[in-house]
């Protein structure tokens, strides 16, 4: 099918792209998978005429039901996606630190699933480890006490070999933890606080979500041509000339975004995975890998009244098969004059650095194998297990690393020989990033607070420091979900 026909089928009016004519040369239709080169499909921007919407907010535990849902938002047509309540995604929980939530979960799918609370320090039995499946038609009550600082976490399924598909079909949601400590800073709230889930989807000709990765796409991660924010394709949102708090999750399977404002203005990074940074940092662009979250302040008083500012993804280097195209994500229409008195304190609540003198062990993990760089992987006959950690493919029965409870360790992810980016995620704990050598050779703004996911680009070696205070069996893995499903995951046990 010709590209023009495909676009018309999707109902997209005009399509603009910052990549100019380059887009015409790539295969946009999955039916042409046999000729799809191993590069990210070019993003097809919509007209930015659909209002941004937000999943409903739940202030307490609310029942979640994984199942097929009717959606109209992506194409304007009726289609099916997966979700936890109404439509794609699930409700945004907004829970006070110190409280206990109880979330009855029903698996309304015809395959096993569960919920992993990504960035929430839950007991191992509640973590949604790939061991802990909820069978079709069955119910499980997730109940845990929130005992951590304020921040933006999220939830999604974690069945081994099916996480990529289930998240891509729409199963994910935000989980915001609030605290008195954070409230005291008086950050923009209410209508001025915008939770944004950024995802890329691939749509078939009838507008449905299409998840059928080829071998090539298992290698680079499954990416789509349609960027949605909170489930809406190319949305717009009206803003006033004041500061807004943008709380962004990259909920994509494999796509990395280099967040920037289309007018080139700087914005302020105030937080990441584990809540506020110890000090705000002003940047003009910021890489956000799958699984990572950032907390940003954008001052629209720097934009003229009645102007339009896009949150976009700028080009980035370091990877061969994505980052070459700039594309718009969401349009902000500055349509209301308003003066706010908001002033960000120069320092934010402290995060005590985990002292490396307490380190009892350094573990090294080779994540640079795959794509023909090492024996036994890749080659002409691509097969399962092309992605490994220390040469190992995931096995549910194996404990790969035994960690003494309350010990402090340094873990090193070594991607020096690799040619794919790997966002590495640990369950059950936050960590601090100690160093990055090779590649970008530095920590970026969002890596100076508490993290649970850290991007290790080709050529990089990243060291993190962790204090293990949560006992039990947990997984750690690459959050490129095709890599994870391909086996790039191990277990560690804290005891
Ligand atoms: Cu967000 Cu083990 O995952
Ligand atoms: Cu990976």
């Amino acid at each position: 099918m010709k590209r023009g026909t495909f676009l018309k089928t999707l109902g997209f009016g005009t399509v603009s792209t910052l990549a100019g004519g380059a887009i015409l040369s790539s295969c946009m239709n999955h039916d042409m998978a046999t000729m799809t080169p191993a590069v990210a499909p070019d993003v097809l921007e919509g007209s930015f005429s659909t209002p941004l919407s937000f999943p409903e907010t739940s202030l307490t535990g609310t029942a979640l039901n994984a199942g097929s849902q009717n959606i109209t938002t992506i194409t304007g047509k009726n289609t099916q996606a997966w979700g936890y309540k109404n439509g794609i995604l699930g409700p945004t929980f907004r829970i006070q630190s110190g409280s206990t939530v109880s979330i009855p979960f029903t698996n309304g799918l015809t395959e096993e699933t569960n919920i992993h609370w990504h960035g929430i320090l839950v007991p191992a039995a509640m973590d949604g480890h790939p061991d802990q499946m909820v069978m079709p038609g069955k119910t499980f009550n997730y109940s845990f006490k929130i005992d951590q600082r304020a921040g933006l976490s999220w939830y999604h399924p974690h069945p081994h070999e099916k996480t990529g598909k289930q998240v891509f079909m729409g199963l994910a949601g935000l989980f915001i933890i609030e605290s008195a400590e954070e409230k005291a800073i008086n950050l923009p709230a209410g209508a001025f606080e915008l939770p944004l889930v950024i995802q890329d989807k691939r749509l078939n000709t009838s507008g449905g979500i299409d998840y059928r990765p080829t071998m090539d796409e298992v290698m680079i991660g499954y990416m789509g041509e349609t960027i949605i924010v909170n489930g809406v394709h190319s949305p717009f949102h009206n803003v006033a000339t004041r500061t807004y708090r943008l709380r962004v999750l990259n909920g994509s399977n494999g796509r990395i975004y280099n967040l920037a404002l289309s007018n080139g203005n700087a914005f302020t990074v105030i937080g990441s995975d584990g809540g506020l940074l110890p000090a705000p940092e002003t940047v003009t662009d910021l890489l956000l890998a799958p699984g990572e979250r950032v907390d940003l302040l954008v001052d629209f008083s720097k934009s003229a009244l009645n102007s339009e500012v896009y949150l976009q993804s700028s080009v980035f280097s370091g990877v061969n098969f994505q980052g070459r195209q700039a594309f718009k994500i969401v349009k902000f229409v500055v349509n209301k004059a308003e003066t706010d008195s908001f002033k960000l304190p120069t320092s934010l609540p402290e995060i005590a650095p985990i002292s490396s003198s307490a380190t009892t062990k350094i573990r090294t993990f080779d994540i640079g194998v795959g794509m023909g760089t090492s024996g036994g992987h890749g080659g002409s006959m691509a097969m399962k297990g092309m992605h490994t950690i220390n040469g190992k493919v995931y096995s549910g029965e194996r404990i790969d690393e035994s960690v003494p409870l309350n010990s402090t360790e340094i873990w090193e992810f070594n991607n020096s020989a690799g040619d794919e980016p790997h966002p590495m995620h640990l369950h059950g704990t936050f960590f601090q990033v100690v160093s990055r050598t090779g590649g970008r050779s530095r920590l970026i703004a969002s890596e100076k607070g508490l993290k649970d996911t850290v991007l290790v680009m080709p050529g990089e070696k990243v060291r993190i420091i962790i204090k293990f205070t949560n006992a039990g069996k947990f997984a750690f893995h690459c959050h490129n979900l095709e890599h994870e499903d391909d086996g790039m995951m191990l277990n560690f046990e804290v005891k």
Side-chain angles (χ1 to χ4, degrees):
M1 184 189 286
K2 294 242 169 56
R3 179 167 167 270
T5 321
F6 179 60
L7 293 176
K8 220 178 291 146
T9 317
L10 289 183
F12 294 145
T14 52
V15 174
S16 63
T17 166
L18 300 174
I23 197 169
L24 291 168
S25 62
S26 86
C27 306
M28 299 316 303
N29 190 326
H30 199 91
D31 296 331
M32 297 160 85
T34 45
M35 59 167 288
T36 302
V39 295
D42 278 321
V43 167
L44 302 181
E45 293 174 356
S47 54
F48 294 94
S49 54
T50 311
L52 177 66
S53 62
F54 300 90
E56 66 179 75
T57 303
S58 170
L59 301 178
T60 58
T62 189
L64 299 178
N65 189 339
S68 194
Q69 311 273 345
N70 276 316
I71 57 161
T72 48
T73 45
I74 295 182
T75 61
K77 284 192 255 177
N78 264 314
T79 181
Q80 295 283 301
W82 291 2
Y84 285 113
K85 213 168 174 204
N86 305 310
I88 195 170
L89 301 173
T92 297
F93 291 92
R94 198 176 267 278
I95 305 290
Q96 295 302 314
S97 185
S99 55
T100 297
V101 280
S102 179
I103 301 171
F105 168 64
T106 303
N107 179 358
L109 302 172
T110 54
E111 61 189 52
E112 58 180 28
T113 188
N114 68 353
I115 300 181
H116 167 55
W117 308 93
H118 182 137
I120 308 178
L121 303 178
V122 301
M126 292 289 154
D127 187 58
H129 184 276
D131 279 356
Q132 303 157 343
M133 284 303 128
V134 181
M135 293 303 150
K138 294 283 187 268
T139 293
F140 182 82
N141 193 43
Y142 289 99
S143 175
F144 40 84
K145 181 167 191 223
I146 304 293
D147 185 15
Q148 65 188 77
R149 22 188 349 249
L152 174 65
S153 298
W154 63 302
Y155 58 97
H156 63 78
H158 220 297
H160 183 44
E161 299 178 330
K162 293 201 194 75
T163 298
K165 171 188 164 196
Q166 294 190 358
V167 172
F168 203 83
M169 290 306 292
L171 293 174
L174 295 177
F175 199 109
I176 294 174
I177 297 169
E178 299 186 323
S179 70
E181 178 187 59
E182 191 187 273
K183 193 142 201 291
I185 305 168
N186 274 313
L187 292 164
F192 310 117
E193 176 188 356
L194 312 177
L196 306 173
V197 182
I198 303 176
Q199 297 175 302
D200 59 339
K201 297 294 173 209
R202 193 173 307 178
L203 305 181
N204 60 29
T205 47
S206 47
I209 298 176
D210 189 2
Y211 188 76
R212 285 182 292 156
T214 61
M215 283 299 181
D216 274 350
E217 288 163 341
V218 169
M219 299 312 293
I220 68 173
Y222 196 69
M223 288 175 267
E225 73 297 324
T226 301
I227 308 290
I228 59 172
V229 183
N230 299 344
V232 187
H233 177 230
S234 292
F236 79 91
H237 191 67
N238 292 330
V239 294
T241 54
R242 52 159 292 145
T243 301
Y244 282 72
R245 181 182 189 187
L246 272 49
R247 312 191 67 175
V248 188
L249 160 71
N250 181 350
S252 309
N253 284 29
R255 198 181 272 280
I256 298 167
Y257 303 92
N258 189 20
L259 299 179
L261 297 170
S262 56
N263 57 11
N265 279 359
F267 54 93
T268 307
V269 189
I270 58 166
S272 63
D273 303 346
L276 295 177
L277 303 176
E281 199 168 317
T282 296
V283 300
T284 50
D285 61 1
L286 187 67
L287 277 190
L288 189 66
E292 290 186 301
R293 288 87 69 203
V294 280
D295 203 336
L296 310 174
L297 293 179
V298 176
D299 183 359
F300 290 108
S301 75
K302 298 208 170 89
S303 305
L305 194 59
N306 297 319
S307 64
E308 297 176 349
V309 184
Y310 291 86
L311 179 67
Q312 66 175 37
S313 181
S314 291
V315 294
F316 58 91
S317 56
V319 202
N320 287 330
F321 44 81
Q322 61 167 316
R324 291 160 163 200
Q325 181 198 13
F327 53 85
K328 300 172 190 135
I329 297 171
V330 47
K331 177 166 86 175
F332 295 105
V333 182
V334 188
N335 72 346
K336 194 167 168 233
E338 198 172 305
T339 335
D340 68 275
S341 53
F342 174 71
K343 265 239 146 293
L344 182 68
T346 46
S347 67
L348 295 168
E350 245 178 76
I351 298 175
I354 304 173
S355 160
S356 59
S357 64
T359 304
T360 50
K361 199 174 176 88
I362 298 179
R363 296 180 203 250
T364 56
F365 298 100
D366 186 356
I367 56 169
V369 284
M371 271 194 155
T373 53
S374 172
H377 303 282
S380 54
M381 267 304 288
M383 47 193 243
K384 179 147 179 64
M386 293 173 286
H387 296 93
T388 58
I389 300 175
N390 279 348
K392 291 193 274 187
V393 170
Y394 183 72
S395 159
E397 277 86 71
R398 205 175 55 218
I399 298 293
D400 299 281
E401 307 293 331
S402 298
V403 179
L405 183 63
N406 293 319
S407 64
T408 299
E409 299 194 354
I410 285 177
W411 287 20
E412 177 182 281
F413 297 111
N414 184 356
N415 196 18
S416 342
D419 44 19
E420 298 168 351
H422 301 293
M424 299 304 296
H425 169 53
L426 272 66
H427 287 208
T429 185
F430 284 103
F431 54 77
Q432 293 174 10
V433 187
V434 178
S435 64
R436 170 179 285 113
T437 51
R440 292 170 288 163
S441 302
R442 64 182 187 99
L443 305 191
I444 64 170
S446 50
E447 292 171 337
K448 296 170 187 174
L450 298 185
K451 294 286 289 169
D452 57 49
T453 306
V454 66
L455 177 60
V456 190
M457 288 285 247
E460 293 182 354
K461 216 185 251 187
V462 172
R463 284 191 162 201
I464 60 173
I465 189 165
I466 318 120
K467 179 147 198 221
F468 291 94
T469 55
N470 198 1
K473 177 183 175 184
F474 296 99
F476 70 105
H477 60 87
C478 177
H479 220 289
N480 176 311
L481 299 182
E482 284 65 48
H483 294 181
E484 174 188 336
D485 284 345
D486 192 39
M488 195 171 180
M489 172 160 69
L490 299 181
N491 285 312
F492 67 97
E493 186 172 27
V494 181
K495 66 172 182 200

